[in-house]
Amino acid sequence: MIVAPKIRGFICTTAHPTGCAKHIADQIAVVKGRGPIANGPKKVLVIGSSTGYGLSSRIAAAFGSNAATIGVFFEKPAEADRCGTTGWYNSAAFENEAKAAGLYARSFNGDAFSDAMKAEVIEAIKQDLGQVDCIVYSLASPRRTHPKTGEVFKSVLKPIGSASYTNKNLNTGTGVVNEVTIEPANDDEIAQTIAVMGGEDWEMWIDALLAAGVVAEGTQTVAYSYIGPEVTWPIYKNGTIGRAKEDLERVQRVLDTKLAAIKGKAWVSVNKALVTQASSAIPVVPLYISLLYKVMKADGTHEDCMEQMDRLFRERLYNGNPQPDEAGRIRVDDWEMAPAVQALVGKRWAEVNTENFAELGDFEGYQSSFLRLFGFGLEGVDYEADVDVNVRVPSLA
């Protein structure tokens, strides 16, 4: 079938398998072009490995330090006349590239929050690798079923406080700069968001892996966060998602203590604002990203997910110089948060409207990054040609 992008709101409901494979190949080329990652990990578990930061982490580990990787995700293959999800095609392409490079790669598709998935992955580690020496936690899900109680939690993207929040927003379908008003979260919504996006499941994974004896001495584990500028704080840092990230940092400190016995370390890495499936859903953020991209590309400091994760592994996690901030977090958002960058973005935020958006923002770059997430708009791919959407992930066949 011929696959074209079908966009509904902030998601694309189609994905192009050939385009996704090209996107994977392009990211691998970035890592290879920078040479081997000295002292990098060799046996890596990535929980949430099919898109965004998790996928790029898996690529950085595999093709930067020849690591064996196990990836966990929840994606859908093609059905009848419907294509599979972008994460499914990404994972298939990654495994094919890994196999061609002589690298071990095994994937698990299902509910990463469940005890059953944890047990299945642990058994695979025992059988195939013995132990892992790096654990990346990069789940981004709108809901979670608690493995002990069966309760279903749903996250929300809302401000916290007594008043509604209004700010500039970008309609990513039309390029119109408008306003969005969001009502504040109640206590239950805050608690549910923490339950989905906080640190409890990360801790459950590490506890299960430690109890099974499959965590090697000196293992590092990292989970991902975002802080951003003050203009996004009401909907992010000081909102429901920010509360969840605070819980992630709480768990990082707990895991640090637990891993100390095997000379291990837990980190929270604060990453740059990027176009991902998760960030596209957050009001206000797409407009900020469009302005940021314009500034950072002109500055020569722009990075996509792959460049970010390669830098994290290469220059922070595995070179003996993590450069934590005062709260103990790794900051690879440092180029984004540079005072000169933020001053110019802030100035343009105050000025931006629909009429001058094309001049002040990089809407074309935003749209291009968004479409690439789903395998569209990549050079060398014939999007007019029929493509077989029934692609298999080799280790899941």
Side-chain angles (χ1 to χ4, degrees):
M1 59 188 287
I2 295 174
V3 181
K6 294 181 180 178
I7 297 171
R8 187 176 66 223
F10 54 81
I11 63 169
C12 183
T13 61
T14 53
H16 198 285
T18 308
C20 288
K22 179 61 165 61
H23 197 201
I24 296 296
D26 287 350
Q27 291 185 72
I28 291 170
V30 168
V31 179
K32 285 185 171 180
R34 296 180 175 185
I37 296 174
N39 305 310
K42 296 303 178 186
K43 299 176 181 180
V44 180
L45 169 62
V46 183
I47 304 154
S49 66
S50 56
T51 62
Y53 287 122
L55 173 64
S56 294
S57 299
R58 193 177 190 186
I59 293 170
F63 293 92
S65 61
N66 290 322
T69 62
I70 291 179
V72 183
F73 49 78
F74 188 36
E75 301 289 351
K76 294 181 179 179
E79 293 180 3
D81 60 346
R82 294 185 62 182
C83 55
T85 58
T86 184
W88 181 268
Y89 294 141
N90 288 341
S91 302
F94 172 84
E95 284 201 12
N96 288 328
E97 292 276 6
K99 182 180 180 181
L103 297 172
Y104 170 97
R106 186 171 176 183
S107 301
F108 292 85
N109 188 36
D111 180 7
F113 296 124
S114 70
D115 288 341
M117 178 58 75
K118 293 176 176 68
E120 195 175 349
V121 169
I122 286 168
E123 189 57 34
I125 295 170
K126 287 180 177 179
Q127 290 179 359
D128 298 352
L129 305 178
Q131 293 182 317
V132 292
D133 58 14
C134 174
I135 304 157
V136 175
Y137 188 86
S138 185
L139 284 187
S141 173
R143 64 180 63 209
R144 172 184 176 223
T145 300
H146 197 282
K148 308 303 181 186
T149 67
E151 186 175 355
V152 177
F153 300 105
K154 298 178 181 178
S155 62
V156 297
L157 297 165
K158 289 186 176 183
I160 293 174
S162 57
S164 60
Y165 166 67
T166 300
N167 207 333
K168 291 179 179 179
N169 187 54
L170 173 65
N171 183 318
T172 54
T174 63
V176 171
V177 177
N178 50 23
E179 280 194 340
V180 62
T181 297
I182 310 166
E183 296 304 313
N186 58 41
D187 290 344
D188 181 61
E189 288 173 321
I190 296 169
Q192 291 213 29
T193 303
I194 293 170
V196 175
M197 304 181 73
E200 185 184 34
D201 185 62
W202 185 24
E203 186 174 6
M204 285 180 167
W205 268 100
I206 300 301
D207 283 348
L209 293 162
L210 285 170
V214 295
V215 183
E217 184 172 300
T219 289
Q220 298 193 79
T221 182
V222 60
Y224 298 136
S225 187
Y226 181 66
I227 294 176
E230 288 189 33
V231 70
T232 67
W233 283 5
I235 194 63
Y236 201 99
K237 178 177 176 288
N238 295 338
T240 52
I241 193 170
R243 287 287 180 87
K245 296 304 184 182
E246 287 175 10
D247 188 64
L248 199 70
E249 293 184 21
R250 175 193 64 80
V251 167
Q252 176 266 323
R253 294 186 290 270
V254 171
L255 293 180
D256 242 6
T257 301
K258 293 182 177 183
L259 291 169
I262 57 168
K263 301 177 183 177
K265 185 78 179 75
W267 294 105
V268 166
S269 174
V270 180
N271 303 337
K272 174 196 173 190
L274 284 169
V275 180
T276 65
Q277 292 187 59
S279 70
S280 300
I282 305 172
V284 179
V285 169
L287 178 58
Y288 167 74
I289 288 176
S290 298
L291 299 177
L292 178 72
Y293 273 25
K294 186 91 166 187
V295 172
M296 294 191 75
K297 286 178 180 179
D299 199 37
T301 56
H302 173 69
E303 296 173 303
D304 280 322
C305 271
M306 191 64 258
E307 288 85 357
Q308 272 268 289
M309 294 300 94
D310 181 86
R311 184 157 68 97
L312 173 66
F313 276 69
R314 191 180 300 272
E315 298 183 12
R316 299 300 178 87
L317 288 177
Y318 290 99
N319 73 341
N321 187 28
Q323 303 173 47
D325 67 7
E326 70 286 347
R329 302 168 296 213
I330 293 176
R331 301 295 294 268
V332 285
D333 67 339
D334 48 351
W335 297 353
E336 172 190 355
M337 299 310 296
V341 169
Q342 284 303 312
L344 187 50
V345 173
K347 179 176 181 294
R348 292 179 177 179
W349 181 274
E351 298 170 351
V352 71
N353 54 45
T354 301
E355 286 67 39
N356 62 19
F357 177 49
E359 176 189 349
L360 299 182
D362 182 20
F363 187 43
E364 183 179 335
Y366 182 94
Q367 288 180 307
S368 174
S369 293
F370 179 79
L371 287 172
R372 283 201 309 275
L373 295 177
F374 303 92
F376 297 106
L378 288 115
E379 290 185 14
V381 178
D382 183 359
Y383 291 100
E384 301 302 317
D386 275 316
V387 61
D388 184 1
V389 298
N390 290 292
V391 175
R392 66 187 187 92
V393 177
S395 70
L396 294 175

